Amino acid sequence: MTSRHTPTRRDAIKIAAAGTAALAAPAIIAAPVLGQSAFNWKRFAGQKLDVLYVKNPRSDLLLKSEKEFEELTGIKVSSEAVPEQQQRQKVAIEFSSGKPTFDVCTLSLHVNKRQATKGKWLADLRPLLADKSLTDPNLDFADFNAAGMNFATDTDGTIITLPKLVDYFILYYNKELFEKKGVAYPTSYPEILAAAAKLNDPANNVAGIVNRGVKNANVVVWMALMLGHDQDSVVKGELATMTDGAIAAAEIYKEMNSKYAPPGVVGFNWNECQTTFAQGRAAMWIDGVGFAAPLEDATKSRLAGGKVGYGIMPKGPKAHATATFGDGMGIASACTKKEAAFLYVQWATNKENQLKMLMNGAGATARNSATSNTEAISKSKFPKQYFECLEGSGKIGRPGLPVIEPVTEFRDVFGIALTNMISGADAKTELAKATEQFKPILEKSEKG
């Protein structure tokens, strides 16, 4: 008899906790062989799905493997991968129209979760998960980790996505430059600045550190530094951007980027930072671990082959924490082919694809089975330090952005303040102006 129990938020938390415990028991992932499962993958053969991704190493891997899904299901897929900022604008505009052009999309839950919830952008996956005829037995819902499920689950228990990624901010460092100058890995914020000063060598086109400087994108670096001061930007619906911790973090951000960063850093997003670091033109880089893949590719990086160091974010004055972000795969509420779309979401987040993402350095998987697969990890092109960094970062992760609806406006307003600081403006003054500007926006959102 088919069970119709609908998973609640409490169920999700219990399931995720059970999955976390599985970390202690490494297991080999056995990918299901096409055609050998009793589950009917061909049930919706002949249908067509439109899928929207963010352009990044994770989507690159899935796009390369998409024909496997088409052969498995008989469903035709048309996918589009759009650069991050444009993709976020696209989903907001299309969902607001009520007629999105896609059936399935990747959602940056650290940015769009409140918008998605309020606007009912995505279908609740609980009824689909409860239907055994639609849920592959190999899905293993309990394998999703607690951090991923926290992002994917709403306060009322609604599950709007299946977890795809949990990304941690780390400190990438150039081992060769560190050894040449006799610099030890920094263990605190002051040591990051001291190392940047020692390693900064403009005459030889080497910056001490590179970070996002372009407005909006740069806010996550400031937030990461705030967490080390045990400070969130929004507390109980109120802005906390003029606290001692927020100001101190902004001062550190300013010093890093005004004194030790490459020329033109005010226009850098993660991709410009990645290229600069990969070419050996920066000694350090604070950003998501999901951007590691090209660094170990000899065709794209001068640091491939053991020159990249992967460090857990150094301790702040009051806390040891790292900014954490999450992506998920969801189904548009307006989608008329939800069952077929659910098959795609299951495939995209399955154990095989999550392990592939991890082994290619494309991000921190949301599945425990991948991070506990010691045999696969031992054969990875990534060093042991990379996986140790993932494990350690997972223990100190905290949300890297406030969970508010106008998070994009928050990033825009405070992003401008941060770019002004790089150009020499006073940090406290800029934060005061940004706080005053954003306060009514947040108040309106919270009241609404």
Side-chain angles (χ1 to χ4, degrees):
M1 182 174 176
T2 301
S3 171
R4 286 288 171 181
H5 171 66
T6 299
T8 64
R9 180 172 175 79
R10 181 175 295 178
D11 294 332
I13 293 172
K14 288 180 179 179
I15 288 168
T20 301
L23 279 169
I28 303 301
I29 295 177
V33 179
L34 302 189
Q36 292 187 5
S37 171
F39 182 70
N40 184 11
W41 282 99
K42 298 283 188 183
R43 182 174 172 184
F44 304 103
Q47 292 195 22
K48 180 179 179 295
L49 295 173
D50 291 293
V51 180
L52 177 65
Y53 281 109
V54 174
K55 174 65 177 173
N56 56 35
R58 296 171 287 286
S59 59
D60 290 346
L61 288 170
L62 286 171
L63 290 172
K64 288 179 182 177
S65 303
E66 218 163 50
K67 285 194 178 299
E68 296 174 9
F69 174 79
E70 292 182 330
E71 292 172 2
L72 175 66
T73 63
I75 297 170
K76 182 68 177 175
V77 180
S78 176
S79 294
E80 179 184 18
V82 179
E84 185 177 71
Q85 298 299 329
Q86 291 93 314
Q87 197 263 7
R88 289 174 185 167
Q89 292 172 357
K90 182 177 176 68
V91 297
I93 292 170
E94 294 204 16
F95 275 127
S96 296
S97 75
K99 296 180 180 180
T101 57
F102 46 83
D103 302 295
V104 175
C105 73
T106 293
L107 198 70
S108 297
L109 295 165
H110 48 278
V111 174
N112 297 119
K113 183 174 178 177
R114 282 285 291 272
Q115 280 181 295
T117 300
K118 189 172 182 180
K120 300 186 183 302
W121 289 359
L122 299 172
D124 184 358
L125 299 183
R126 290 178 298 175
L128 297 168
L129 286 163
D131 189 335
K132 290 185 178 180
S133 70
L134 293 173
T135 304
D136 177 17
N138 293 309
L139 171 66
D140 193 4
F141 189 68
D143 187 45
F144 290 114
N145 62 34
M149 286 307 305
N150 183 56
F151 275 117
T153 309
D154 223 339
T155 53
D156 65 354
T158 303
I159 298 174
I160 58 174
T161 69
L162 288 186
K164 179 185 174 189
L165 166 81
V166 180
D167 199 28
Y168 310 110
F169 261 38
I170 69 169
L171 179 60
Y172 295 96
Y173 63 103
N174 185 319
K175 287 185 173 181
E176 193 172 55
L177 290 177
F178 269 67
E179 291 170 6
K180 184 178 179 180
K181 293 287 184 76
V183 178
Y185 182 77
T187 60
S188 66
Y189 289 4
E191 288 183 10
I192 295 176
L193 294 173
K198 290 179 182 178
L199 296 163
N200 196 46
D201 188 4
N204 289 301
N205 197 27
V206 175
I209 192 166
V210 64
N211 289 306
R212 304 184 192 191
V214 70
K215 78 164 191 176
N216 185 292
N218 54 7
V219 167
V220 290
V221 183
W222 172 51
M223 288 287 296
L225 296 168
M226 282 178 64
L227 293 176
H229 290 84
D230 199 20
Q231 180 66 63
D232 293 306
S233 57
V234 176
V235 179
K236 296 181 179 179
E238 299 287 338
L239 278 175
T241 48
M242 283 302 293
T243 61
D244 290 345
I247 295 168
E251 292 282 7
I252 295 169
Y253 177 86
K254 175 182 176 179
E255 185 171 349
M256 284 180 180
N257 293 287
S258 62
K259 291 185 178 181
Y260 313 121
V265 73
V266 290
F268 281 31
N269 202 335
W270 65 263
N271 47 338
E272 288 84 8
C273 293
Q274 183 186 65
T275 300
T276 299
F277 182 78
Q279 294 306 309
R281 299 198 303 271
M284 293 181 286
W285 172 35
I286 297 173
D287 217 311
V289 72
F291 298 124
L295 304 180
E296 297 292 347
D297 183 343
T299 66
K300 299 176 181 178
S301 172
R302 293 181 180 177
L303 306 184
K307 296 179 183 178
V308 180
Y310 303 94
I312 297 169
M313 189 70 183
K315 291 181 180 179
K318 294 186 178 181
H320 194 193
T322 189
T324 305
F325 308 89
D327 286 355
M329 294 290 294
I331 302 169
S333 295
C335 174
T336 59
K337 298 165 281 189
K338 289 185 175 65
E339 293 86 357
F342 186 52
L343 293 188
Y344 185 90
V345 169
Q346 291 180 75
W347 169 82
T349 60
N350 69 21
K351 293 180 179 180
E352 184 179 11
N353 282 322
Q354 287 270 288
L355 181 61
K356 190 184 298 182
M357 181 179 82
L358 181 67
M359 292 302 99
N360 282 276
T365 172
R367 282 189 175 273
N368 292 314
S369 55
T371 52
S372 65
N373 192 328
T374 53
E375 181 175 326
I377 287 172
S378 70
K379 298 175 182 177
S380 171
K381 65 180 179 180
F382 288 87
K384 182 181 179 183
Q385 186 193 34
Y386 172 81
F387 297 101
E388 291 174 342
C389 182
L390 283 180
E391 183 180 6
S393 297
K395 295 175 182 178
I396 61 170
R398 288 172 58 169
L401 283 168
V403 183
I404 57 176
E405 187 178 350
V407 69
T408 298
E409 292 94 329
F410 175 87
R411 295 179 71 170
D412 285 342
V413 171
F414 285 93
I416 291 172
L418 292 167
T419 57
N420 290 343
M421 293 175 208
I422 296 173
S423 301
D426 179 70
K428 186 174 182 179
T429 301
E430 288 299 319
L431 286 185
K433 289 192 293 186
T435 300
E436 188 67 22
Q437 181 181 346
F438 187 71
K439 187 178 179 180
I441 299 173
L442 179 61
E443 290 177 346
K444 182 179 178 181
S445 169
E446 291 297 307
K447 290 177 181 176

